[in-house]
Amino acid sequence: MHVKTRPRVAAGLVGLLAVTGALLAPASALAAEPVDDPIRFDSGHIDAFALSLNDDGSVRLALKEDVTGSHVERTPESVELFVKSQAIVDGVPAQYLPAGLEGASYQLPLTQNPELLWPGWDSQPIASVYGANAKIEIDVTDVTGPGEVFLWSQGPFGDPRQILSGAWKLPATIQQSAPAHVHSNWAFTEPGTYRFTAQATVTSGDGTRESTTNSADYTFVVAPAPTALTIDGAESAVEPGSLLTLTAGQTPAAATFSDFAWFSRAGSDGEWQQVTDASGSELTVTAVDGAQYKATVSGGQRVAAGGPFTIESEPVTIDAAAAPVNPTIGISPLAHHYHSGSPINLTAIVEPALDDATYRWTVQRTDQQTPGVLPETGPTARLTAEQALSDAVVRVALLGTDGTVLAESEPATVDVDDHGAAPLQQVSIGGLAHHYHSGDTVELTASVDPASVLTRFEWYVQPQGETVPQLVAGQHDADYAFEATADLAGAAVIAKLTYDDGRPYAESAPVLVHLDDHGHEIPETGLTIGTDRAADDYWVGQTARLTAEQSTPTGLTEHRWLVKAAGADAFAPVAAQSAAQYSFKPTLANSGIQVKVQLLHDGEVHAESEAVTITAQQRPVVTELLVESDRAAYVPGDTAQLTSRQSPETGIDHYHWYVKRAGAADFVWVDQSREADLAFPVTLEDDGAQLVLRLFDDTHAVIAESAPYTLTVAAGATQPDPVEPPVDPAAPVGGEPSPADPALTSTGLASTGADLGGAVLGGALLLLLGAASVAVARRRRPSAD
């Protein structure tokens, strides 16, 4: 152990001053039950042997402390009394020490040192029952530990005085001729854990009353003084100029010296200089190649030498030559979730940036055993969201010129959430001839629109008269060919798109195989409408997804959807909507609309469903959305920064922004806007455009909407000062239109901060149903939700 001294003023030197124990005011005679929560004390006033009265006048032995409160009584077994390394003392002249105590020891002084534990004992509370001249004996027995435990007091000139009955060290008996509060010097000759048992006997002054306390167990833990100091943090080469944190660690690790000092020099031949404002065990420095650092830690007292114990580390040298830095790579954060049809833009983040690097992007779906490699080799890649990609793991690797992997990113997980809707992909079967002759080859091809990342198919054949389609074993390609035979006359063929593990994803409508029978009739079928909800009622903001379902496969795929608004006289066809699926957004304005579907054969109605009624309700508004802009006016090329806040805050963060430009009839979703704030690039065409922010719950029902904010854009106009957005309380706010031809428009809710379910909301919603027809796009565009 390398030990050196450093001048230091020693506070409270053990044995140099004689100070009597402080007498505190008597505590309440009848104390509460002792606390028994485990706790450690390493400083502060402790009455280790605290005598108190029970309700029946008997005496109990406990422990009282003034650390967590005033005179807090605890069970001794629940307390660990911790003696810090700083208690070590050496070099005290023999005349100030009790007999038998030599060399270095860990001492708790008679007078309080605020850095250390200050244990004593108190018998004053028993005086009210046993008298001011009561006799007290505290027997300390069963002492175990790595060394010896000394207790003594001091005379006026520092000479040691016995306070144990005929002894200087434990085990022994503490005798008091009257109730008193006493402190003493404690010394532990070795570090480690000490345990002993104490029990007190109290006798009244006249000898008429006596009480023996409970037996209590005490634990003192003495931390060792450090024997060495090491510095961690300079083991590896670092980049010049980078920040480096050095940490000084004491050996043994249980040591608790806390007075650190740091020193530095430019090289091995330089002069050591103390680092100012550095007193803890850590030091953060700017890396300079060849610079050296060392540390010292001090504590305790070397009385004869006039200073503390000081341990010094070996120097460490900083290696900060301009070494190559291994690059790291990551993927810029993905959106909270995506919806089918939305782009998933992937961007690699490389530190440090590299020119002309090659990248390898991989995607592994939940159904894949190994990842697939994307064609892109640059720092960006793009996927189109679909449900098959939900929970897929994306990684990117940085490749060297020889194709070796220099760095690989952590996985990023894709979340695709269509809120319970079926996959966007539709499977259709092509190549079917009008009819076949026996022996002909039937060649069918399954296609998917929009395209899917899935490529595995399953084919099913349901002969006429059978009730269950039969799987064609081993047929997993998009193409399927088979021979037309008599038993397949009128058979239905279905293609299913599946995950690689066989789970179904989307399936086609059945097609019928006709064999050389031009008079073959299409079978009769029942036609019903399936909805995506158990009940046909929706919240404003949700999408109703309807599906025409045939009870018997007919092979017919052409449909006609019809709607009748509440109060209308007749059903009107929805233009350009001939698929088996039909989606729109119910609103308060079109609540109660009736929908039915017809199955067509050569333009004639082959089957017709019963009408279903779709109703909508407004979800109760839970907060007010307040929108502010960074400027009052913009010029083309600016980016409008819109911020929002909730009043009150809800913790819900499912947002979308919508814009309605001048002359437009409806609000449309601002692509990929999902945050409370919006950065909106401004063009001259945006002058007079209105922006609104909507808040949705987890079912995509609207639960709050801001007042519209109107953009002012003019060439050359600018206004740098932030202002409050203009509010038009009477302006109606249209909803997100899902059809391409917006004759049937999903209107949303408008809010000025008042109850959105009231009269203001009712006046703000418009039903835009055409008198002759209701036009809806054949396929809905990718929506915000």
Side-chain angles (χ1 to χ4, degrees):
M1 167 171 117
H2 183 84
V3 179
K4 74 172 187 178
T5 62
R6 189 172 60 179
R8 178 179 176 185
V9 176
L13 291 177
V14 175
L16 298 185
L17 294 176
V19 182
T20 59
L23 296 179
L24 304 183
S28 172
L30 299 178
E33 286 297 319
V35 179
D36 59 2
D37 294 333
I39 194 168
R40 166 189 275 197
F41 294 113
D42 62 9
S43 64
H45 177 253
I46 305 289
D47 285 329
F49 310 130
L51 301 185
S52 298
L53 294 173
N54 295 313
D55 291 339
D56 60 359
S58 62
V59 183
R60 68 173 175 271
L61 176 61
L63 179 150
K64 288 184 182 179
E65 47 92 1
D66 292 324
V67 180
T68 66
S70 178
H71 303 316
V72 178
E73 185 172 324
R74 297 180 180 273
T75 59
E77 292 79 4
S78 68
V79 177
E80 181 180 279
L81 299 172
F82 187 78
V83 181
K84 297 178 184 177
S85 305
Q86 289 90 317
I88 190 168
V89 176
D90 193 16
V92 177
Q95 64 266 32
Y96 299 116
L97 293 176
L101 180 59
E102 299 176 349
S105 62
Y106 297 83
Q107 298 186 18
L108 301 175
L110 176 68
T111 56
Q112 185 172 16
N113 179 344
E115 292 185 0
L116 299 177
L117 202 64
W118 192 34
W121 52 90
D122 184 16
S123 57
Q124 292 180 101
I126 60 96
S128 61
V129 172
Y130 292 84
N133 58 349
K135 304 297 186 292
I136 299 100
E137 291 187 349
I138 303 174
D139 294 321
V140 181
T141 61
D142 300 329
V143 178
T144 63
E148 297 177 313
V149 185
F150 286 79
L151 270 74
W152 76 98
S153 188
Q154 297 173 193
F157 300 101
D159 51 308
R161 300 285 180 88
Q162 279 188 341
I163 56 175
L164 299 175
S165 177
W168 294 102
K169 60 186 179 182
L170 301 178
T173 300
I174 300 170
Q175 293 183 334
Q176 292 181 260
S177 59
H181 177 208
V182 180
H183 280 272
S184 70
N185 295 300
W186 296 67
F188 301 84
T189 59
E190 298 291 340
T193 300
Y194 294 79
R195 293 185 174 88
F196 52 78
T197 301
Q199 188 173 33
T201 300
V202 176
T203 305
S204 63
D206 58 7
T208 61
R209 188 164 189 171
E210 182 178 293
S211 176
T212 300
T213 70
N214 54 294
S215 176
D217 296 327
Y218 292 80
T219 300
F220 281 79
V221 176
V222 181
T227 58
L229 188 66
T230 57
I231 298 177
D232 295 326
E235 299 82 6
S236 303
V238 294
E239 186 176 355
S242 62
L243 292 180
L244 183 68
T245 298
L246 305 176
T247 302
Q250 303 175 55
T251 301
T256 64
F257 277 9
S258 59
D259 189 2
F260 288 87
W262 289 86
F263 304 85
S264 68
R265 64 183 179 182
S268 58
D269 297 330
E271 293 292 330
W272 287 106
Q273 301 291 329
Q274 184 168 354
V275 180
T276 59
D277 299 327
S279 58
S281 62
E282 290 188 349
L283 176 68
T284 299
V285 300
T286 300
V288 176
D289 190 50
Q292 290 191 324
Y293 292 87
K294 68 178 181 179
T296 63
V297 66
S298 302
Q301 300 177 68
R302 301 179 67 205
V303 177
F309 289 85
T310 298
I311 310 298
E312 181 177 307
S313 73
E314 293 295 329
V316 295
T317 303
I318 306 301
D319 182 1
V325 178
N326 293 328
T328 61
I329 189 169
I331 299 175
S332 61
L334 302 183
H336 179 268
H337 69 274
Y338 299 89
H339 309 283
S340 290
S342 299
I344 303 174
N345 295 311
L346 306 172
T347 301
I349 307 298
V350 179
E351 293 291 343
L354 299 176
D355 296 330
D356 302 325
T358 301
Y359 301 80
R360 183 178 67 210
W361 292 91
T362 61
V363 177
Q364 185 172 3
R365 304 189 308 270
T366 57
D367 61 309
Q368 292 179 308
Q369 296 296 320
T370 58
V373 180
L374 298 182
E376 293 89 347
T377 59
T380 61
R382 179 171 173 143
L383 298 169
T384 299
E386 62 170 300
Q387 291 181 24
L389 286 173
S390 190
D391 295 325
V393 173
V394 180
R395 289 182 174 87
V396 63
L398 183 68
L399 306 181
T401 55
D402 59 353
T404 58
V405 176
L406 303 179
E408 186 172 17
S409 72
E410 292 294 322
T413 302
V414 176
D415 184 6
V416 180
D417 187 358
D418 288 336
H419 307 287
L424 191 64
Q425 282 68 25
Q426 302 291 321
V427 179
S428 58
I429 298 177
L432 185 71
H434 184 268
H435 68 275
Y436 298 89
H437 300 283
S438 294
D440 288 347
T441 299
V442 181
E443 296 180 341
L444 304 179
T445 298
S447 60
V448 183
D449 185 33
S452 174
V453 295
L454 302 180
T455 58
R456 183 184 186 276
F457 290 87
E458 288 183 351
W459 291 86
Y460 293 80
V461 176
Q462 183 177 351
Q464 191 171 14
E466 297 290 337
T467 58
V468 179
Q470 300 173 4
L471 173 67
V472 179
Q475 185 65 45
H476 301 304
D477 296 330
D479 298 323
Y480 173 42
F482 58 94
E483 181 182 353
T485 57
D487 60 323
L488 293 178
V493 180
I494 301 170
K496 292 184 179 181
L497 180 66
T498 74
Y499 291 93
D500 286 359
D501 57 14
R503 287 177 291 142
Y505 187 63
E507 71 176 74
S508 71
V511 297
L512 295 186
V513 178
H514 298 292
L515 260 68
D516 202 22
D517 181 6
H518 299 288
H520 179 75
E521 294 184 357
I522 304 297
E524 296 296 325
T525 186
L527 193 63
T528 57
I529 296 177
T531 66
D532 58 338
R533 295 175 62 87
D536 300 332
D537 57 313
Y538 296 81
W539 297 112
V540 171
Q542 295 177 330
T543 299
R545 297 175 173 90
L546 311 182
T547 303
E549 300 172 348
Q550 301 178 28
S551 61
T552 301
T554 64
L556 300 178
T557 60
E558 184 181 3
H559 297 77
R560 178 190 294 142
W561 290 88
L562 303 103
V563 296
K564 184 173 76 170
D569 295 330
F571 281 88
V574 180
Q577 182 68 33
S578 59
Q581 290 80 29
Y582 169 47
S583 300
F584 70 97
K585 285 189 177 290
T587 68
L588 293 179
N590 63 27
S591 181
I593 189 171
Q594 296 184 61
V595 183
K596 65 181 180 179
V597 64
Q598 296 172 340
L599 181 64
L600 303 182
H601 179 216
D602 294 336
E604 299 295 330
V605 176
H606 183 74
E608 182 174 295
S609 74
E610 295 291 333
V612 296
T613 300
I614 304 298
T615 59
Q617 299 180 61
Q618 175 58 56
R619 198 85 172 185
V621 175
V622 300
T623 187
E624 181 180 6
L625 297 181
L626 305 175
V627 173
E628 296 180 352
S629 67
D630 60 329
R631 294 159 68 176
Y634 301 90
V635 297
D638 284 347
T639 297
Q641 301 289 343
L642 302 182
T643 58
S644 73
R645 59 185 174 88
Q646 299 179 14
S647 180
E649 289 292 334
T650 65
I652 302 171
D653 61 355
H654 187 161
Y655 294 98
H656 294 304
W657 288 85
Y658 298 83
V659 62
K660 183 174 72 172
R661 291 179 171 83
D666 304 297
F667 281 84
V668 296
W669 181 46
V670 178
D671 188 37
Q672 299 304 310
S673 61
R674 294 185 172 90
E675 305 296 335
D677 301 332
L678 177 68
F680 187 79
V682 172
T683 66
L684 191 58
E685 289 73 21
D686 292 318
D687 186 41
Q690 291 185 319
L691 289 159
V692 296
L693 175 64
R694 292 177 188 153
L695 182 65
F696 299 83
D697 66 10
D698 57 1
T699 69
H700 205 252
V702 178
I703 55 176
E705 180 174 298
S706 71
Y709 171 74
T710 303
L711 289 172
T712 299
V713 183
T718 183
Q719 171 53 263
D721 297 327
V723 297
E724 294 292 330
V727 176
D728 181 3
V733 180
E736 171 199 354
S738 58
D741 181 353
L744 176 60
T745 302
S746 301
T747 56
L749 58 85
S751 168
T752 60
D755 180 2
L756 301 187
V760 174
L761 172 64
L765 300 172
L766 301 177
L767 176 64
L768 302 178
L769 289 173
S773 65
V774 180
V776 179
R778 179 181 179 86
R779 178 169 289 107
R780 64 183 177 88
R781 298 175 303 189
S783 64
D785 263 291

